[in-house]
Amino acid sequence: MLTDYSVLLISAILVNNFVLVQFLGLCPFMGVSNKLETAMGMSMATTFVLTLASACSHLTYNYLLQPLGLDYLRTISFILVIAVVVQFTEMVVRKSSPLLHRVLGVYLPLITTNCAVLGVALLNLNKEHNFLQSLVYGFGAALGFSLVLVLFAAMRERLAVADVPEPFHGAAIGMVTAGLMSLAFMGFAGIV
Amino acid sequence: MLLSTPTSPHAHTPLDTSGLMRLVILATLPGVAALTWFFGWGTIVNIAFASLIALACEAFALYLRGRRVMFYLRDCSALVTAILLGIALPPGSPWWIIAVGIVFAILIAKQLYGGMGYNPFNPAMAGYVVLLISFPLEMTRWLSPLGTFEGSVPGLMEALQLCFGGGFDAHTMATTLDVFKQGAGLMVADVWQQNPQFGRWGGLGWEWVNIGFLAGGCYLLHRGVFTWHAPMSMLIALTAMAAVFYDGGSSASGGSPLMHLLSGATMLGAFFIITDPVSSAVSTRGRLIYGALAGVLVYVIRRWGNYPDAVAFAVLIVNFAAPFIDHYTMPRTYGHNRGGSD
């Protein structure tokens, strides 16, 4: 039981890393990784929202869509659920903790467009995860995303001062680096 | 007690980049000699061909960028990359494997980032990983070491034939780590007995290759080319992981610590790869963490992953983590408070 969940967690963090192995959530990965501080904020916000959203979309599917026979609406309703969760989180954080809001504030609305969030919701469905499994899978996906984002941001700060040839400045060398990191993560294949 | 107080000038022999690189090349000699003794001339052919292509690629990239070609070629860093990749490739690899690996290593993993001193990943290991993922069949075809079959290992002409012609018969066999991965369910003693490629501690030939690289590494340590932190913490972490998970009996438990230390690319990785001054962590505490992470990852991927040896993957992953580790282990500057605030 406990092993199953830890296997699921490790698989989502390392072996099937959402960014480097499944290529989901690349927009924030490239967009918010210029500075370590912002990457930290983004990864905390994403972890919170992704975990919550995967639980909520699981509930929505099993207790709303399926009883009503509305399976075909799942993509659009998941998008709605995610947008609502993000908005709700933003409101709660703003009222309850101004400090946290200052740290996360800018990033929260951005998460709505993170395809990893929708991806986790749909993958949970495909893999027929139960509620707890969905939660763990969502959390693992978020941890994997955060790990890679933060490491990548630290590396890009170093790349910013490297003597990179003119045509490869900025996003281009970032993409090359992401590719190399993806190669490195293939080493985890087969661990679970 | 005699306290010697030499007066100025305190003459030093400062190590410049090319001197450092030549020392590294010199220190690979014992390991290369062992590889050649046990696996034939293939390694030498690998290294020679890789060096040729590496220098050509480096010169080409420098020319395109309008840099001083001879000045940068003379720092020998491309040669070190070529030698490390040549050592890592199976002896008798076909020429195109070597070419693809070294072109990727020099052009993409090194020159795209600005060349010497800027590459965030170890070029040789990046080239190796690309090859291992793209051509798993060719990359896992190791010749059988001396002493497992009648006859001898390939000589110079035969090695050249293996590299460029392909029409030469040679024995190949699984490496020790590979056998261990496939042979779950047997007792260690059985595995040892059934497979002639197991030597005393870590695989026939392999143990001497690793001891060779260990000797070379100790020489570099003695000359102060790198500090002891990263290699020691990597070896200690690997030993600790192996000791924790080894049950002393079945091969399913992943082999003894001694076997892990003395087979595969452990010593090459610990002393020649993760000590790369460019792609590793720079602070002292950072190096300890960096090395330990590498050791743990080597064991995890060897033991549970798909690939029999893990040093290249582990190195790329810790290279990837190095800037982050550095960011949090920055030593306090004198006169400032902890945490960077003043």
Side-chain angles (χ1 to χ4, degrees):
Chain A
M1 172 75 179
L2 197 63
T3 4
D4 288 350
Y5 285 110
S6 47
V7 163
L8 195 64
L9 196 66
I10 291 176
S11 142
I13 295 177
L14 296 177
V15 185
N16 296 314
N17 187 286
F18 269 73
V19 179
L20 293 181
V21 180
Q22 311 205 34
F23 306 118
L24 288 167
L26 285 177
C27 332
F29 180 65
M30 293 306 296
V32 204
S33 54
N34 282 321
K35 289 191 72 143
L36 190 57
E37 296 304 313
T38 52
M40 289 283 203
M42 184 65 177
S43 52
M44 276 194 282
T46 310
T47 307
F48 187 72
V49 169
L50 226 166
T51 317
L52 202 61
S54 54
C56 288
S57 47
H58 179 84
L59 295 178
T60 312
Y61 183 77
N62 281 299
Y63 296 103
L64 195 66
L65 296 183
Q66 213 156 35
L68 296 176
L70 293 173
D71 284 19
Y72 55 89
L73 285 182
R74 58 177 177 249
T75 307
I76 197 153
S77 44
F78 284 174
I79 292 177
L80 194 67
V81 167
I82 292 165
V84 168
V85 168
V86 169
Q87 207 54 49
F88 171 74
T89 315
E90 214 223 336
M91 277 151 63
V92 170
V93 168
R94 189 166 52 205
K95 297 286 182 209
S96 62
S97 162
L99 182 71
L100 198 62
H101 187 252
R102 256 210 311 284
V103 179
L104 303 185
V106 202
Y107 311 109
L108 279 169
L110 275 176
I111 299 171
T112 326
T113 59
N114 186 344
C115 49
V117 183
L118 182 64
V120 170
L122 291 172
L123 279 174
N124 270 331
L125 210 63
N126 266 3
K127 296 171 186 264
E128 297 175 351
H129 286 156
N130 63 30
F131 179 72
L132 209 53
Q133 279 170 328
S134 303
L135 205 65
V136 170
Y137 195 64
F139 185 59
L143 283 188
F145 176 82
S146 307
L147 172 77
V148 170
L149 181 68
V150 167
L151 294 185
F152 188 56
M155 179 154 276
R156 278 188 89 173
E157 283 190 354
R158 193 172 278 193
L159 288 185
V161 294
D163 178 27
V164 176
E166 194 67 38
F168 290 95
H169 272 289
I173 197 70
M175 287 299 223
V176 173
T177 312
L180 279 169
M181 283 164 33
S182 190
L183 279 176
F185 264 64
M186 288 189 76
F188 287 122
I191 283 185
V192 289
Chain B
M1 191 166 75
L2 180 72
L3 287 172
S4 67
T5 46
T7 53
S8 61
H10 302 287
H12 287 281
T13 47
L15 275 177
D16 56 346
T17 309
S18 72
L20 203 79
M21 293 295 169
R22 276 199 294 269
L23 265 186
V24 173
I25 293 173
L26 186 69
T28 57
L29 281 181
V32 172
L35 270 173
T36 311
W37 176 259
F38 283 102
F39 296 97
W41 281 76
T43 311
I44 306 281
V45 174
N46 280 354
I47 291 175
F49 187 60
S51 308
L52 213 64
I53 301 188
L55 290 177
C57 287
E58 183 98 337
F60 175 65
L62 290 170
Y63 168 74
L64 278 187
R65 298 197 64 198
R67 299 294 156 92
R68 285 178 293 165
V69 175
M70 282 322 286
F71 175 78
Y72 283 105
L73 275 191
R74 218 172 283 141
D75 71 18
C76 295
S77 63
L79 268 186
V80 170
T81 300
I83 289 174
L84 291 180
L85 189 66
I87 290 169
L89 292 176
S93 295
W95 63 271
W96 48 270
I97 288 259
I98 306 173
V100 169
I102 206 76
V103 166
F104 189 91
I106 297 287
L107 288 188
I108 295 181
K110 186 177 172 199
Q111 290 295 340
L112 271 197
Y113 288 95
M116 174 75 189
Y118 291 115
N119 47 305
F121 298 97
N122 185 302
M125 289 301 105
Y128 183 83
V129 163
V130 165
L131 291 176
L132 187 57
I133 289 172
S134 314
F135 312 106
L137 188 66
E138 282 81 2
M139 289 297 287
T140 47
R141 198 189 279 151
W142 274 84
L143 297 174
S144 28
L146 185 73
T148 47
F149 283 104
E150 294 294 314
S152 61
V153 290
L156 180 57
M157 287 321 287
E158 291 151 337
L160 283 172
Q161 241 179 338
L162 271 177
C163 183
F164 297 103
F168 176 77
D169 291 331
H171 282 292
T172 61
M173 73 178 13
T175 59
T176 322
L177 285 173
D178 217 5
V179 172
F180 237 91
K181 187 173 281 286
Q182 311 301 339
L186 290 168
M187 296 305 278
V188 171
D190 293 337
V191 182
W192 233 254
Q193 213 167 23
Q194 285 171 13
N195 293 283
Q197 66 266 51
F198 280 81
R200 206 163 295 136
W201 306 297
L204 188 64
W206 285 108
E207 50 211 22
W208 293 108
V209 171
N210 273 289
I211 289 170
F213 285 123
L214 174 64
C218 289
Y219 172 67
L220 290 181
L221 205 55
H222 168 68
R223 292 298 301 266
V225 173
F226 47 76
T227 59
W228 56 270
H229 304 87
M232 278 315 284
S233 79
M234 171 175 164
L235 294 179
I236 289 173
L238 180 62
T239 314
M241 286 293 282
V244 166
F245 287 99
Y246 184 53
D247 63 2
S250 70
S251 66
S253 71
S256 69
L258 199 58
M259 191 199 96
H260 275 283
L261 285 180
L262 290 179
S263 62
T266 308
M267 293 298 172
L268 180 71
F271 288 100
F272 291 87
I273 314 272
I274 70 163
T275 52
D276 174 356
V278 183
S279 59
S280 72
V282 288
S283 62
T284 308
R285 252 189 323 148
R287 281 187 181 150
L288 287 174
I289 298 171
Y290 177 84
L293 190 63
V296 170
L297 282 171
V298 166
Y299 187 78
V300 166
I301 299 177
R302 267 186 189 174
R303 171 79 193 277
W304 293 289
N306 284 344
Y307 295 96
D309 203 357
V311 172
F313 286 109
V315 165
L316 281 196
I317 294 167
V318 290
N319 284 167
F320 174 27
F324 184 75
I325 296 174
D326 272 345
H327 189 271
Y328 283 97
T329 54
M330 207 69 84
R332 182 172 63 97
T333 32
Y334 187 69
H336 288 251
N337 290 328
R338 288 194 184 284
S341 61
D342 41 14

